Amino acid sequence: MVMGIRGADGAGIPGPPGPPGPPGQVGVNTALAVFARAVLPPPPAWMAGQWSVLNFDVLETDTHQAVEIGPIWQWHAPFRGTYDLSCALCLENIPPGTPTWAMRVMRQGMEEVYAEFTGYTGQIHWLGLLNPSETLQVQIQPLGLTPVQVRGGPPRSSIVVAGVGVPA
């Protein structure tokens, strides 16, 4: 009778190690080390019918000083790599109707992602490869006649940008 080999704790005994993975770098000088998170304080209302840059000027984390705050808020890629941007908004003064407001992610001044929303909250997401110094920015536009404004929270309106991959 043949029985399986088991360790003292009942777990299987591991076999030989597999082949090494693809070459890559993990460290402070790669996209995998990059992380930024900022929140949006209650600003004046955004005017209906025009795009406005979201100024997430309350920085909680910015590992590579890649965030440029102010009226042209943008995030600059410090290294070539794959990055993940996620932005969530919670608004007030949302008039009834569909859709009532829109968000978009801009890469180097060009629209990459666009979404329309009907309620008080919305989230937009972007994932892609960036070269050093390429920028990402998020903008909002009320679609009706009524301006909208961010709610103080909770939940807080925020943006997160993180490095998730290093190109080969």
Side-chain angles (χ1 to χ4, degrees):
M1 173 178 187
V2 177
M3 298 182 69
I5 301 172
R6 299 181 72 82
D9 63 353
I13 296 175
Q25 298 175 331
V26 177
V28 295
N29 294 325
T30 69
L32 291 174
V34 177
F35 182 80
R37 176 178 162 73
V39 295
L40 189 65
W46 294 295
M47 298 308 298
Q50 67 184 40
W51 286 104
S52 299
V53 175
L54 294 173
N55 181 13
F56 294 91
D57 66 353
V58 180
L59 290 176
E60 292 182 345
T61 304
D62 186 6
T63 60
H64 289 74
Q65 291 72 49
V67 174
E68 179 181 348
I69 61 173
I72 61 159
W73 190 101
Q74 53 190 351
W75 180 86
H76 301 264
F79 310 106
R80 178 174 163 79
T82 303
Y83 294 94
D84 181 25
L85 176 146
S86 183
C87 175
L89 292 184
C90 187
L91 304 179
E92 292 181 348
N93 299 336
I94 302 298
T98 351
T100 56
W101 60 285
M103 258 196 305
R104 66 183 180 180
V105 175
M106 306 294 284
R107 175 184 176 186
Q108 292 294 100
M110 302 295 293
E111 184 178 286
E112 288 276 312
V113 181
Y114 175 89
E116 294 180 346
F117 304 93
T118 60
Y120 290 93
T121 61
Q123 186 173 31
I124 198 163
H125 185 81
W126 177 89
L127 176 70
L129 180 66
L130 293 174
N131 291 309
S133 299
E134 285 190 302
T135 60
L136 296 175
Q137 179 185 73
V138 180
Q139 299 178 354
I140 186 171
Q141 179 185 41
L143 298 174
L145 300 175
T146 306
V148 298
Q149 66 187 59
V150 72
R151 183 175 146 199
R156 294 174 15 187
S157 295
S158 62
I159 189 168
V160 173
V161 183
V164 295
V166 178

